[in-house]
Amino acid sequence: MSTPSAALSLEASAVASRPNVQRDAHEFSRAQLEGLMTKRFFYIQSFEIYGGVAGLYDYGPTGAALQANIISQWRNHFIIEEEMLELDTTIMTLSDVLKTSGHVDKFADWMCKDLKNGEIFRADHLVEGVLEARLEGDKKARAAESGKAAAEEVPSEGADEKKTKKKKVKATAVKLDDAVVAEYENILAQIDNFSGPELGELIRKFNIRSPESGNEISEPVEFNLMFDSSIGPTGQIKGYLRPETAQGHFVNFQRLLEFNNGRVPFASAQVGKSFRNEISPRAGLLRVREFTMAEIEHFVDPLDKSHERFDEVKGITIPLLPKDVQESGKTTITEKTIEDAVSSGMVDNQTLGYFLGRIYLFLVKIGIDPARLRFRQHMGNEMAHYASDCWDAEILTSYGWIECVGCADRSAYDLTVHSKKTRKDLVVQKTHKEPKVYDKLVANIVKKNLGPRFKKDAKAVEEAILGLDEKALESLQSSLKNGTATIQAGGQSFEVTPDIVTVEMKTIRETVREFTPNVIEPSFGIGRIFYALLEHSFWTRAEDQDRGVLSLPPLVAPIKALIVPISANDKLAPLVKQVSRKLRSAGVASRVDDSSATIGRRYARNDELGTPFACTLDFASLSKGTMTIRERDTTSQRIGPIDQVIEVIKRLCDGTLTWEGACKELPEYTGQQDLDS
Amino acid sequence: MSTPSAALSLEASAVASRPNVQRDAHEFSRAQLEGLMTKRFFYIQSFEIYGGVAGLYDYGPTGAALQANIISQWRNHFIIEEEMLELDTTIMTLSDVLKTSGHVDKFADWMCKDLKNGEIFRADHLVEGVLEARLEGDKKARAAESGKAAAEEVPSEGADEKKTKKKKVKATAVKLDDAVVAEYENILAQIDNFSGPELGELIRKFNIRSPESGNEISEPVEFNLMFDSSIGPTGQIKGYLRPETAQGHFVNFQRLLEFNNGRVPFASAQVGKSFRNEISPRAGLLRVREFTMAEIEHFVDPLDKSHERFDEVKGITIPLLPKDVQESGKTTITEKTIEDAVSSGMVDNQTLGYFLGRIYLFLVKIGIDPARLRFRQHMGNEMAHYASDCWDAEILTSYGWIECVGCADRSAYDLTVHSKKTRKDLVVQKTHKEPKVYDKLVANIVKKNLGPRFKKDAKAVEEAILGLDEKALESLQSSLKNGTATIQAGGQSFEVTPDIVTVEMKTIRETVREFTPNVIEPSFGIGRIFYALLEHSFWTRAEDQDRGVLSLPPLVAPIKALIVPISANDKLAPLVKQVSRKLRSAGVASRVDDSSATIGRRYARNDELGTPFACTLDFASLSKGTMTIRERDTTSQRIGPIDQVIEVIKRLCDGTLTWEGACKELPEYTGQQDLDS
């Protein structure tokens, strides 16, 4: 784990001071982690008893609590700390809104069908899977020629998320021409950039067929990824389940601005479910059809993207992968302070830089390993045309680098399109400190002459005149000096004369500047962060590979303390209840395990649940009022009076005390304390 | 406000001790409350700038915070306090699940259409609206005959929710026969009980037409209230947006049971969005298409519905409206302790009684007026056939009595149907303390003879034999003594002989009892509680009817403290920041209002936001380190050192101090304190 910078030290102290335990004694096994997730009911495929549905997951008690704790930390870190305006807008979204935002037309993937058995593929995944299998077959064939077995493929350091999306296609040992190998490799390097028709061409050119049946494949067609439905009984109001929460912020912008007394910058925030009807969901929680997002829309003056609290994060060093490095085919990470990243122009502006810092602090605080975290900038071809800059916080997992947070400067795009569509002003009015005085050409229309002259076209002509820019007005003015001018409106030409319109220079005294704010959007995929956190927290004890441990930080652990009575003796029961009540009033989520399992098994079960501390009550507790506390990662035990131990746990959980600190306050438990009793 | 019973006093102290202010100086105006809701962005119709969609609402910053605080209190009161197992299951639900639960076939309302203009009505609302308008017209006509104006209709004390559902139909003064009046009144009294075809008969019999157009009306047809969609690209997996969260608990029952070490009772709980595609949503937040529910499924042994913590609530007196009273046409409320209600058999069992008590405590704690709260028992014709008892917590609002929480004993219905459909065991195995030993007739099938004899029917015959009850086994035994017997299977008869099956008495030693647990389900409509709370909290100052106040308890108020610098003087700014930071670290949500409005206007704005306390910083704050605190309801002000005032606010907000108590700690603010500086 890398050393956090000074600026980070306070916030990240809970993490930085996590007990240092040798965690990499055994190789990470995804299957083992997944087994634990099911056994301890963190999450499970939805409708399991009905056979399950791909891409839908239910969170059980431990998973739901872990997720709720992550969200609660998110609320504290962003909404409370920065006084953001929280929203709760509907999931069911009017189609008009998503038509305007572009989702109805563009939020789609390309799919194709096995022409005989109807199996459906995501077109890019299919091409990718088949070409990769052929390359693998080629390697095998070449290895066989040279008499060696093909080396096991080792994922490269920059293993990308897309590597996980494809359905694994079986490779047959067939040697390819060197030129074909080069062509395949070139295609695979840019597989994300092909349009549907281009994918269709590749399918024909390389005779790509349905991998299992060998049947022919249809041309790629677009499949919109939104779940659709209709609202009300008429069937005439179309609705979609929102694919993101963002549109709910934008359509309420004017109300939010008013709530904020008309001033920018301010941010709205929302945590809620969003939906994507994936063609073929895979990779567990990473590509699902229903997921929790946490989104911030920070509205800012386009002429001033500085941030009031920039100083608080500017000293933090974060790992960056800028676009120029990627465009040169590399994945080398640069470590830079946020201040350097902004001042060098690598990150577009202060506000964007501020959020990169805040995102970094949040992820590290909840337990993401900073050594497996990077900010990757979108390359030109990835980024929406209106965005001025975009960085993804990517986390390295066994599936490769996964985008978990997007942080984009979306410029004025969203507010502009909604305003244009609804003809509602979505603007900020900012009073100049000093009125601005300047001269400007202005057209004066004589309405009483315009109407009779152009009748039904009058409105179009008027709008055309009012829409002219400075240069066109100059030309109109000079034409009118000659007695007549031509106006283009609705595809027709109209002759205008000075009795209808004149153009003159006027002195304008502007007291208010009106502008459409820009939006900087940090958008968090909670389920992906949840999964990455589990991978980063999971390890197995050096002495026994079957003993899994989830080293979740106390801040987000589902249960903070386990209460373990040493035996089922009735005398201990009242004390167990008392400790449980005391922990509850100290705000510490606890759970009693009074099952008949051995104490070792109860500790082990608890390690799998990620519970950081276990309080053991024994007969010394009754006679002397003491309790032991066991720390999950080190398994070391300390002892003290019950109330003091509870007080220590409280501070361990709210991050004001480290385990090292606790060890200074509580003596080691030697077992001797029991014998004394 | 009624006096809470002793058992309630601790939990309800924060409410009971709310400052007593004369609140009913002006009559409640729903329009004024709704105006405030919009102006202060508590909530707004969704997609307002696109014209809005009926039945969908967005919550703004204040509304979202109030809702989040209600949910947070709910979590503490139920999930944390009772160690329930929290779930987060998907909204998108496989159709098979909802087919089994009965929603696909039965979760519908009857609608009919204007045959010419296509306007759609809920059939019961239409009949009700038209008949009520005719009765009103009759009253007018009779009044005109007798020379008096018709008295304004005053809603009766028991004004029911259904009064609000109908679309108000214009009444024309037409006198009706006395017999017709009686018939209409009789129909209206039971309008909820008619089936679709019966409503169709009423429409024909009374020549009911489309109220505005006068056109004929179609026969009622069923309209399913679930939003449907399809999952994945094939269109073959049908899904619905869940109409309740409950099914997500039931399908995960076996996993939950395992998590709870195989033991009942235990409860699962879930807070989340559910959906109903209402035919014509009305009444604001009370009948919407997307809403937040909080549901508990408490799984219990059907032979033992006692509750471990019953003693903690049994002394609470709650207002009950039992079914026999309603069936006699009355709405008289009985006040009873929960203990009496259970022991007299009015409430079916202890667990149900326990939850009624806990629901009561919760609602009163968050600010519902106990004088406007009742528990209404479902009558025989309202209750699902499988339910053994059901009580709704109803809250009186300007729309009448509104069902806000349902609390039903659903018996073993849900688990039984899912188990039957999926052939998965959803049962509990409970070890007897002492094995049960008894004699029982048992059928022994000789499979090696059964198969060859019945071939493809063998399995059906076997199942039929194994399904026989004690009496049928006796008869089979005696028939077989005569050499042959007949078995009915799959609509056919089969002859069996002693070489295929024998029946004999065996001694059974049963160590484990296997049973399907019963479910007791408290189900909360968060949006309805939210709205009722706003009505109960809203009033206007005696001196000025335009000055609205929301007396939300500090526990749930969106913002707990307003920070008001007395002027825009730059010298105050650092102090404002400091107080804001201190409140934040004390866990008190605060907001600064440094706008240029007068202090009186800022206080008034704050009263509308429901903020219980305002801290004013002036020049004495700079020179002496003091701060005043203003209490919203009484508008009284006290003063003290800044840190002491913050400490007082913290205790006021967590319910450990009342305003009366605070007044003992902090002296009254007289204005003199300023002059001294």
Side-chain angles (χ1 to χ4, degrees), chain A residues 400-475:
Chain A
W401 287 98
I402 303 299
E403 174 200 344
C404 291
V405 187
C407 192
D409 184 332
R410 301 173 62 91
S411 76
Y413 177 74
D414 307 279
L415 293 179
T416 305
V417 293
H418 285 298
S419 173
K420 210 171 150 189
K421 178 72 188 175
T422 60
R423 292 169 179 257
K424 299 276 192 306
D425 282 341
L426 302 178
V427 291
V428 174
Q429 294 189 317
K430 200 168 185 172
T431 308
H432 293 303
K433 283 189 180 161
E434 296 286 324
K436 273 174 90 174
V437 180
Y438 55 89
D439 291 340
K440 192 184 170 187
L441 279 180
V442 173
N444 300 308
I445 293 166
V446 186
K447 288 215 177 181
K448 71 174 183 359
N449 297 336
L450 177 89
R453 173 87 62 88
F454 297 117
K455 304 201 168 67
K456 69 171 175 45
D457 295 321
K459 192 153 179 64
V461 174
E462 184 182 350
E463 279 181 4
I465 293 171
L466 294 177
L468 296 175
D469 62 14
E470 190 81 10
K471 221 172 144 184
L473 281 172
E474 260 176 45
S475 133

Side-chain angles (χ1 to χ4, degrees), chain A residues 38 40-41 44 46-50 53 56-62 64 67 80-81 83 85-94 96-97 100 111 120 223 227-234 241 251-252 255-256 259-261 263 273 275 277 279 289-290 308 418 421-422 424 577 580 584 591 594 605, chain B residues 38 40-41 44 46-50 53 56-62 64 67 80-81 83 85-94 96-97 100 111 120 223 227-234 241 251-252 255-256 259-261 263 273 275 277 279 289-290 308 418 421-422 424 577 580 584 591 594 605:
Chain A
T38 303
R40 297 295 173 217
F41 200 6
I44 192 89
S46 302
F47 321 115
E48 187 193 12
I49 61 171
Y50 281 83
V53 174
L56 295 178
Y57 288 88
D58 289 346
Y59 288 72
T62 35
Q67 181 183 252
I80 307 286
E81 180 62 33
E83 296 184 12
L85 305 181
E86 187 162 4
L87 284 175
D88 181 11
T89 69
T90 58
I91 288 168
M92 181 58 72
T93 304
L94 184 64
D96 292 353
V97 173
T100 303
M111 68 171 185
I120 286 176
F223 175 70
F227 286 99
D228 63 349
S229 194
S230 64
I231 305 171
T234 63
L241 303 191
V251 296
N252 282 303
R255 297 251 166 227
L256 287 165
F259 188 86
N260 204 49
N261 296 325
R263 291 186 279 193
K273 288 278 185 89
F275 295 78
N277 196 7
I279 292 174
R289 288 174 165 149
E290 178 172 338
E308 201 188 1
H418 285 298
K421 178 72 188 175
T422 60
K424 299 276 192 306
K577 279 205 176 163
S580 166
R584 191 153 56 223
R591 205 154 182 94
D594 56 2
R605 182 152 65 195
Chain B
T38 303
R40 297 296 173 215
F41 200 6
I44 192 88
S46 302
F47 320 116
E48 187 192 13
I49 62 171
Y50 280 83
V53 174
L56 294 178
Y57 289 88
D58 288 347
Y59 289 72
T62 36
Q67 180 183 253
I80 308 286
E81 180 61 34
E83 295 184 12
L85 305 181
E86 187 162 4
L87 284 175
D88 181 10
T89 69
T90 58
I91 289 169
M92 181 58 72
T93 304
L94 185 63
D96 293 351
V97 173
T100 303
M111 69 170 185
I120 286 175
F223 175 70
F227 287 99
D228 63 349
S229 194
S230 64
I231 304 171
T234 64
L241 304 192
V251 297
N252 282 304
R255 296 251 168 226
L256 287 166
F259 188 84
N260 204 51
N261 296 326
R263 292 186 277 193
K273 289 276 186 89
F275 295 78
N277 196 6
I279 291 173
R289 288 174 166 150
E290 178 172 339
E308 200 188 1
H418 285 300
K421 178 72 188 173
T422 61
K424 298 276 194 305
K577 280 207 175 161
S580 166
R584 190 153 58 223
R591 203 153 183 94
D594 56 0
R605 181 152 66 194

Side-chain angles (χ1 to χ4, degrees), chain B residues 136-152 173:
Chain B
E136 209 183 315
D138 171 68
K139 269 192 201 156
K140 278 190 195 171
R142 287 173 193 243
E145 264 186 19
S146 65
K148 288 181 290 189
E152 277 292 303

Side-chain angles (χ1 to χ4, degrees), chain B residues 443 445 460-470 472-473 487-488:
Chain B
I445 294 166
V461 173
E462 183 181 351
E463 279 180 8
I465 295 172
L466 293 178
L468 296 175
D469 61 16
E470 189 81 12
L473 282 173
I487 294 290
Q488 302 295 332

Side-chain angles (χ1 to χ4, degrees), chain A residues 335-355:
Chain A
E335 300 264 345
K336 254 190 202 307
T337 65
I338 289 170
E339 185 170 30
D340 286 350
V342 172
S343 64
S344 67
M346 183 190 283
V347 169
D348 186 73
N349 57 68
Q350 268 198 8
T351 298
L352 200 55
Y354 175 77
F355 279 114

